[in-house]
Amino acid sequence: MRALKLTVAYDGTNYVGWQRQLNGVSVQQALEEAFAPLNHGVAPTIAGASRTDAGAHALGQVASVNTDIDIPVTAVWRALNVRLPVDIRVLAVEDVRPGFHARFDAKGKSYRYRMSMAPILSPFDRCYVWHAPEPKRLDWMQEAATALVGRHDFVSFQARGAFVRETVRTLDRLDVTRDGDEVIIDCAGDGFLRHMVRIVAGTLAEVGTGLRPPTSMPDVLEARDRRVAGATAPALGLTLMSVRY
């Protein structure tokens, strides 16, 4: 068997997320179906590094697949892009060591969250930016973000219904910057809980509008209670930027 590593970009607007589900088409399903004609007509299982949510996007998702096909990687790359819908693109295909797994071998990931304070959101941003027009104090958001950097139990920032035993994660970076009317949150770490980035973004937005003080983040972490953190920001503002190995 041969292991292939795929680097994938997609607009998640029309998908139920990365992972296969019964209620609609997923990015994983689209990739597996595009791969089937290359794989003796059988759709292989393609594992993704991140199980992005419905409506979330990716510029640097990584996926892995095991196959016995004897086709050059450049031919695989071309064939997949011919068969995929226009909102999914395979950026690269590489041969990797046998046993490589996109999710379990990942050492870290980086995400970007975008929110707009513009009075009216451009129609060209409507699928990629959370429209949150209330004015926000960037310095308050930056102060709050600093308290989340490092190794912490992030269970307060995990969606209800998630079944993960270990909720301690390391955030290497959590930067809050502004570009015109847009607030951009860039984060990188060794792993993320379900909806964690979206809950962090929603909580920081509440800090920025004065709904909670910037000094409250240590208390939110200490509470270990989802009800103490802020609202979950919409998925459409989230993009998986890269995966580190």
Side-chain angles (χ1 to χ4, degrees):
M1 293 294 287
R2 173 189 186 190
L4 296 177
K5 175 185 175 186
L6 315 177
T7 303
V8 187
Y10 50 85
D11 176 339
T13 303
N14 296 320
Y15 299 93
V16 295
W18 163 265
Q19 194 168 9
R20 274 185 177 267
Q21 298 182 45
L22 297 176
N23 61 331
V25 178
S26 68
V27 178
Q28 180 185 28
Q29 177 184 340
L31 277 167
E32 290 174 351
E33 291 178 354
F35 206 105
L38 309 178
N39 195 54
H40 318 296
V42 178
T45 298
I46 298 180
S50 175
R51 297 175 179 176
T52 52
D53 303 325
H57 316 288
L59 289 176
Q61 170 75 288
V62 174
S64 56
V65 58
N66 295 313
T67 179
D68 64 357
I69 60 173
D70 185 19
I71 303 174
V73 290
T74 53
V76 174
W77 170 69
R78 286 194 296 267
L80 288 176
N81 283 320
V82 165
R83 293 174 171 84
L84 283 166
V86 295
D87 49 7
I88 303 175
R89 279 293 169 264
V90 175
L91 305 180
V93 180
E94 307 168 55
D95 277 299
V96 288
R97 61 169 177 79
F100 172 81
H101 193 284
R103 181 182 174 197
F104 299 130
D105 288 339
K107 303 299 183 185
K109 301 167 190 170
S110 65
Y111 291 88
R112 170 169 288 183
Y113 196 90
R114 297 169 60 196
M115 63 182 78
S116 174
M117 298 182 293
I120 298 175
L121 184 67
S122 165
F124 297 102
D125 287 332
R126 72 191 188 282
C127 296
Y128 312 105
V129 181
W130 174 27
H131 188 210
E134 303 85 358
K136 295 173 183 64
R137 283 278 300 267
L138 198 69
D139 56 337
W140 291 351
M141 296 175 72
Q142 291 167 335
E143 179 183 347
T146 299
L148 297 179
V149 175
R151 190 161 184 80
H152 305 288
D153 186 341
F154 283 97
V155 69
S156 291
F157 295 92
Q158 177 178 248
R160 293 188 184 94
F163 300 99
V164 178
R165 290 184 179 180
E166 179 56 69
T167 54
V168 174
R169 298 290 186 273
T170 300
L171 268 188
D172 300 312
R173 181 167 60 93
L174 183 58
D175 298 331
V176 184
T177 56
R178 182 169 179 172
D179 183 8
D181 288 326
E182 220 174 88
V183 175
I184 300 170
I185 300 172
D186 286 304
C187 57
D190 61 1
F192 294 86
L193 304 173
R194 186 183 180 208
H195 295 176
M196 177 174 157
V197 179
R198 292 169 57 193
I199 297 170
V200 167
T203 305
L204 292 180
E206 292 182 6
V207 170
T209 55
L211 290 177
R212 62 174 69 226
T215 55
S216 63
M217 292 304 101
D219 292 335
V220 175
L221 289 169
E222 184 63 28
R224 294 177 173 83
D225 185 341
R226 171 66 189 92
R227 293 170 296 180
V228 179
T232 305
L236 79 174
L238 182 65
T239 299
L240 171 64
M241 303 299 288
S242 63
V243 184
R244 176 171 55 84
Y245 292 92

